[in-house]
Amino acid sequence: MALKSLTFTKGDKRILRIQVKENGTPKNITGMTFKFGVKENLADASYKIGPVTGVIDDVSQGHVSFTFNVGTNVFSGVYEVAMYDAAENRTTLTPAGGLSFRAMENIID
């Protein structure tokens, strides 16, 4: 899986689609749940977006999607995606500290 920095326009409704892979092969994600969240700063207690529960689109191919609203404010922050098994054991799918997330101003109003 190659998650990367995300930049969206404020006010947009977006869908983030990911594919979970293990050693380059799509992972069967039967019984797993997923969450996506964005914070302005890693140590913040409150979220700018989420946490959003993922929807499994294809269990055998490891496809998951997250639908969320970017919000009405311009900000920079970090996001994280986590996977949980049936016993609630967590696997963080983004690098430690999350990845960059930016909500930009509209060009056309």
Side-chain angles (χ1 to χ4, degrees):
M1 167 186 12
L3 291 172
K4 57 186 177 181
S5 296
L6 299 174
T7 301
F8 297 116
T9 303
K10 73 174 188 172
D12 281 355
K13 181 176 182 178
R14 301 302 298 218
I15 299 174
L16 173 65
R17 291 183 174 91
I18 67 167
Q19 183 180 30
V20 181
K21 292 184 177 181
E22 193 167 61
N23 300 319
T25 303
K27 179 177 177 64
N28 186 311
I29 52 175
T30 299
M32 302 294 189
T33 58
F34 296 83
K35 291 187 181 174
F36 164 84
V38 180
K39 292 183 174 183
E40 197 160 358
N41 296 294
L42 187 60
D44 290 351
S46 63
Y47 289 88
K48 296 297 277 185
I49 300 172
V52 176
T53 301
V55 174
I56 295 175
D57 300 316
D58 185 333
V59 72
S60 65
Q61 292 298 307
H63 290 281
V64 180
S65 61
F66 303 90
T67 302
F68 59 94
N69 291 313
V70 176
T72 58
N73 296 319
V74 171
F75 72 94
S76 292
V78 294
Y79 80 94
E80 185 175 84
V81 176
M83 176 176 69
Y84 301 84
D85 66 15
E88 291 296 313
N89 295 310
R90 175 191 170 106
T91 301
T92 304
L93 301 178
T94 45
L99 289 167
S100 174
F101 185 99
R102 291 177 32 180
M104 304 296 294
E105 189 64 60
N106 297 323
I107 293 174
I108 301 171
D109 283 326

